[in-house]
Amino acid sequence: MTVAGAKLTISNVSHAYAGVPALADVSFDVPAGDLTALLGPSGCGKTTLLRIIAGFFRQTQGSVLVNGAPIDDLPAAKRNVGIVFQNYALFPHLDVARNVGYGLRAQGAKGPMVEARIDEMLRLVKMAKFANRLPGELSGGQQQRVALARALAVSPRIVLLDEPFSALDKALRLDMQIEVKSLLRQSGVTSIIVTHDQEEALSMADRIVVLNQGQIEQIGGPSELYDTPRSLFVNTFIGHVNVIEGRLLGREGSALAIDVAGVGRITVPTDKKYPPGQVLTVTVRPENLVPDPQGPFAGTVRQILPLGPVDVIEVVLPGGTALKVSLPHAVGGVTLAPGAALSLAVRDPAGCGVFSTASAPQTA
Amino acid sequence: MRRAGGKAAAFLPAAPLALFFALAYLLPIAILGAVSFRTDLRAGDWTIAHYGAFLGDGFTLSILLDTLWLGLQVVVVTLLIAYPLGLVYMRAGPRVRALLVFLILLPLLTNTVVRTFAWMAILGRNGLVDTLAATLGFTNEPLRLLYSRTGLVIALAQIYLPLMALPLNNSLAKIDGNLLRAAEGLGASSAHLFRTVILPLSLPGAVAGCLLVFAGATTAFITQTLVGGGRQIFMPLFIYQQALGVQRWAFAAAASVVFALTVMAVVYAFNRFARARLRGVDA
Ligand SMILES: Nc1ncnc2c1ncn2[C@@H]1O[C@H](COP(=O)(O)OP(=O)(O)OP(=O)(O)O)[C@@H](O)[C@H]1O
Ligand SMILES: [Mg+2]
């Protein structure tokens, strides 16, 4: 059951609903067989882009190409693009087997071949026992599997998944993420998974396209986006981050010296250039901070959040800025009490970000 | 027991309506039923002779069957008109939907008698249809639609269309747009999509519409009589003639009972048949 995935290209796609822009000049490639996540806050245009790729309506501008050939003039029924909807959209009047076989029969296939394929797909998603159930008689996770089997049964070149796990509870979500990822890998199909959950994007995708207000903020691998975000938006949207405001004092070799109110002078390595005196935003991840009596960030502990594998301590600086530091959990947990004095230092200055505050995009 | 008393008290405000219903509806039916088993309206013994006469006579049975057949014809015509209309409604935005509902309801704002006379003017000799057909050069002969079966079916279909269109639209509008997208994305043609998704999921509305239109069209005394002209006899007119024309009250009562039970049986059987097909569909 190897399906050759196709290379998908989104080329300068813009879309406006009755004059109101929803997507602006979006371009990216998904290599054949790759799993790309489309990540962004609610309303940023993810579903819009998915529907354009599926062919449910035509974009205002730009082009969608499969293996280099434009498919803009093909109706949805001819695109061979599988879709898994957020609400699964299983046919409520058809049993599981008929749902899975729907696409094959719609395309004119008949007889034992169809039955065999249905069997194969149901076994793949471990739903063979439920072949005769109606969708209404299944749990969310089971419906999810049927929806995936239905989409994959027609051997699509491309599969689009629109927030496929948002209706599942957290424990099941993780199971399904692992399962779906391996199913998509196994079938070799090119896929795009839409999500506004950054953890989901990081854990599932080979590459992530970050969308914000209809525009691409950044494209990259999970670690790349996490470690070297190109904008404050990406930095704050993916993972947790502490945001510190300061004024630029000047360049010192390969770093910028920045004055932070209530903290003093800190240096951050970067080759970005700003005029002295500009207000800048410095970002540092919670795991990139460590307690250090000599550290520049001296404050008081406000609260301690034991999250299991890590303990997060919130420290309030004299200027009012709150910093979160996360420490690997040690047996017994954190012995500090709220109100205690604690100084923090940056573990690796290269992991800090510097952005000009003036152009800071809204954070989610 | 106190709870039961409380329940009874809760129904108290409905008592006047219940009383009215009993007096104006149940009582006459009871009387009708009783009369149908008497040899005569005023005097006589109990008998089932009228039922025998009705059911044993090919002529009266043919009137009954023809009335059911008329109902079926009207149902089919309204279905054929309501589905395309419903497909437009389903894909329309809220404003177009409101306009469509208004247009569908419009005929209900006119009295049945008035509408029937309007149809007589439209279908009659030198009426709108004839004039139009002549002007467009189709024919110079009058089409003789008034008093014809075709004309009657057309008029009844127009009059009862809202009863089909409203529940059907309601059912169609409830279909999740993603189901249509899913089917389309899986390669379904429009025809396949209609047959395998839209039709089954709109069945509850269509069934309700069919039942309403069937019950309405088979019993539409005024329209059947005026547009059909005295030449076509259906059960309502037949019962009227037997009762008031030739004063065979008891026989007319028996005919009424048979007619009512037959229509109910058809409605019930159709409902059973349709429900069995509605597995998984929200009614
Ligand atoms: N049919 C429509 N008509 C007009 N505007 C629309 C329509 N669908 C979406 N929009 C608008 O386009 C923008 C993008 O919507 P879209 O559904 O693509 O967002 P999304 O990223 O999928 O959000 P979510 O995460 O909430 O699903 C939003 O501002 C939305 O209001
Ligand atoms: Mg969406």
Side-chain angles (χ1 to χ4, degrees), chain B residues 75-115:
Chain B
V75 163
V76 169
V77 173
T78 50
L79 263 181
L80 290 180
I81 299 172
Y83 257 109
L85 191 68
L87 293 181
V88 173
Y89 180 85
M90 186 169 80
R91 286 164 202 263
R95 281 156 115 209
V96 178
R97 279 190 183 184
L99 180 73
L100 282 175
V101 169
F102 174 73
L103 288 179
I104 291 165
L105 285 175
L106 205 56
L108 290 183
L109 302 177
T110 351
N111 178 285
T112 311
V113 181
V114 175
R115 263 187 292 164

Side-chain angles (χ1 to χ4, degrees), chain A residues 71-82:
Chain A
I71 55 165
D72 304 299
D73 293 326
L74 286 181
K78 294 262 157 64
R79 290 197 179 189
N80 200 8
V81 170

Side-chain angles (χ1 to χ4, degrees), chain A residues 17 22 40-49 86 163 196:
Chain A
Y17 289 105
S42 186
C44 71
K46 304 180 298 285
T47 300
T48 303
L49 184 55
Q86 178 169 354
E163 312 221 5
H196 60 247

Side-chain angles (χ1 to χ4, degrees), chain A:
Chain A
M1 198 220 81
T2 36
V3 183
K7 176 184 170 199
L8 175 69
T9 307
I10 311 296
S11 169
N12 304 98
V13 167
S14 298
H15 189 76
Y17 289 105
V20 183
L23 285 176
D25 203 22
V26 170
S27 297
F28 63 90
D29 280 331
V30 185
D34 238 36
L35 175 53
T36 289
L38 208 53
L39 176 66
S42 186
C44 71
K46 304 180 298 285
T47 300
T48 303
L49 184 55
L50 224 62
R51 289 185 175 178
I52 288 170
I53 298 170
F56 296 135
F57 54 72
R58 176 110 194 212
Q59 66 274 21
T60 327
Q61 268 172 40
S63 192
V64 178
L65 303 97
V66 172
N67 286 338
I71 55 165
D72 304 299
D73 293 326
L74 286 181
K78 294 262 157 64
R79 290 197 179 189
N80 200 8
V81 170
I83 306 136
V84 177
F85 292 87
Q86 178 169 354
N87 62 353
Y88 314 134
L90 295 174
F91 303 115
H93 57 299
L94 301 180
D95 64 20
V96 166
R98 286 202 177 84
N99 262 285
V100 173
Y102 187 92
L104 295 167
R105 295 200 171 104
Q107 294 174 16
K110 280 195 194 72
M113 215 196 73
V114 176
E115 302 296 332
R117 178 75 176 159
I118 292 173
D119 269 2
E120 183 189 349
M121 295 312 299
L122 286 181
R123 260 184 282 115
L124 186 70
V125 298
K126 304 195 203 85
M127 286 294 291
K129 270 187 294 185
F130 301 96
N132 299 319
R133 292 252 194 113
L134 286 176
E137 299 161 354
L138 300 176
S139 73
Q142 294 168 338
Q143 290 186 38
Q144 162 84 72
R145 276 178 244 215
V146 177
L148 190 66
R150 181 179 71 176
L152 290 177
V154 289
S155 317
R157 297 177 294 180
I158 293 160
V159 171
L160 309 174
L161 304 102
D162 193 356
E163 312 221 5
F165 310 112
S166 59
L168 307 178
D169 59 49
K170 206 170 161 135
L172 186 58
R173 195 179 306 179
L174 193 59
D175 290 346
M176 287 305 295
Q177 282 170 359
I178 293 166
E179 220 172 292
V180 168
K181 184 173 177 172
S182 77
L183 280 174
L184 292 174
R185 285 252 179 289
Q186 228 174 305
S187 62
V189 68
T190 306
S191 18
I192 293 188
I193 175 165
V194 157
T195 177
H196 60 247
D197 177 348
Q198 40 101 10
E199 280 181 27
E200 188 168 294
L202 293 174
S203 68
M204 287 195 71
D206 303 311
R207 285 203 319 159
I208 300 171
V209 175
V210 183
L211 266 186
N212 183 29
Q213 298 186 333
Q215 283 176 310
I216 293 184
E217 287 274 341
Q218 190 169 355
I219 303 176
S223 311
E224 188 183 344
L225 291 184
Y226 192 80
D227 295 336
T228 53
R230 218 180 294 145
S231 67
L232 183 56
F233 174 84
V234 175
N235 202 170
T236 49
F237 193 70
I238 297 180
H240 295 288
V241 74
N242 293 300
V243 175
I244 304 160
E245 281 214 347
R247 192 170 291 277
L248 180 62
L249 295 171
R251 176 160 284 283
E252 286 187 1
S254 64
L256 293 177
I258 296 165
D259 178 54
V260 178
V263 172
R265 191 174 152 285
I266 59 169
T267 54
V268 184
T270 176
D271 49 13
K272 291 182 183 172
K273 292 185 177 65
Y274 301 100
Q278 176 158 0
V279 178
L280 296 177
T281 301
V282 176
T283 58
V284 54
R285 302 250 182 227
E287 70 274 15
N288 197 16
L289 288 171
V290 275
D292 176 351
Q294 260 76 60
F297 304 104
T300 45
V301 174
R302 179 151 72 192
Q303 55 180 335
I304 293 153
L305 312 167
L307 298 184
V310 295
D311 292 303
V312 172
I313 306 171
E314 195 183 23
V315 176
V316 186
L317 304 183
T321 308
L323 295 182
K324 289 198 177 84
V325 51
S326 73
L327 304 171
H329 180 78
V331 177
V334 179
T335 50
L336 289 166
L342 186 66
S343 291
L344 302 173
V346 174
R347 204 189 285 267
D348 177 5
C352 293
V354 182
F355 305 96
S356 80
T357 304
S359 65
Q362 303 155 297
T363 56

Side-chain angles (χ1 to χ4, degrees), chain B residues 62-74 149 214 218 234-235 259 262-263 266:
Chain B
S62 76
I63 293 176
L64 178 65
L65 287 180
D66 194 37
T67 307
L68 301 180
W69 175 229
L70 176 72
L72 189 68
Q73 286 176 308
V74 176
R149 178 66 164 235
F214 183 78
T218 46
F234 301 102
M235 283 305 290
F259 181 42
T262 315
V263 171
V266 170

Side-chain angles (χ1 to χ4, degrees), chain B residues 29-277:
Chain B
I29 287 180
I31 295 174
L32 183 86
V35 167
S36 72
F37 289 105
R38 309 288 288 178
T39 42
D40 191 60
L41 181 59
R42 277 165 198 74
D45 296 316
W46 296 101
T47 173
I48 56 162
H50 302 306
Y51 287 93
F54 184 92
L55 296 173
D57 185 345
F59 174 68
T60 53
L61 275 184
S62 76
I63 293 176
L64 178 65
L65 287 180
D66 194 37
T67 307
L68 301 180
W69 175 229
L70 176 72
L72 189 68
Q73 286 176 308
V74 176
V75 163
V76 169
V77 173
T78 50
L79 263 181
L80 290 180
I81 299 172
Y83 257 109
L85 191 68
L87 293 181
V88 173
Y89 180 85
M90 186 169 80
R91 286 164 202 263
R95 281 156 115 209
V96 178
R97 279 190 183 184
L99 180 73
L100 282 175
V101 169
F102 174 73
L103 288 179
I104 291 165
L105 285 175
L106 205 56
L108 290 183
L109 302 177
T110 351
N111 178 285
T112 311
V113 181
V114 175
R115 263 187 292 164
T116 301
F117 276 112
W119 272 111
M120 294 177 73
I122 292 168
L123 299 174
R125 188 179 283 252
N126 301 322
L128 191 63
V129 175
D130 273 6
T131 316
L132 219 60
T135 316
L136 295 176
F138 288 131
T139 170
N140 270 323
E141 295 287 303
L143 293 169
R144 299 183 197 288
L145 279 173
L146 185 62
Y147 306 141
S148 76
R149 178 66 164 235
T150 311
L152 177 58
V153 172
I154 292 173
L156 284 171
Q158 189 269 339
I159 289 170
Y160 288 103
L161 183 62
L163 299 187
M164 181 65 86
L166 291 178
L168 185 61
N169 283 355
N170 191 31
S171 258
L172 286 168
K174 273 202 295 192
I175 299 177
D176 174 10
N178 277 349
L179 293 180
L180 309 181
R181 287 186 204 105
E184 229 182 306
L186 289 166
S189 64
S190 303
H192 190 81
L193 171 68
F194 178 78
R195 197 167 54 74
T196 56
V197 180
I198 297 178
L199 194 63
L201 292 180
S202 63
L203 263 183
V207 169
C210 288
L211 298 181
L212 292 170
V213 171
F214 183 78
T218 46
T219 56
F221 176 61
I222 295 169
T223 309
Q224 284 174 2
T225 309
L226 294 182
V227 179
R231 265 180 289 166
Q232 303 176 57
I233 296 184
F234 301 102
M235 283 305 290
L237 177 62
F238 177 72
I239 293 167
Y240 171 84
Q241 284 174 342
Q242 291 300 313
L244 293 163
V246 296
Q247 302 283 320
R248 291 173 68 194
W249 285 96
F251 177 72
S256 299
V257 170
V258 172
F259 181 42
L261 289 179
T262 315
V263 171
M264 278 192 269
V266 170
V267 164
Y268 176 78
F270 181 64
N271 214 359
R272 280 293 299 268
F273 171 80
R275 298 260 159 242
R277 246 134 274 258

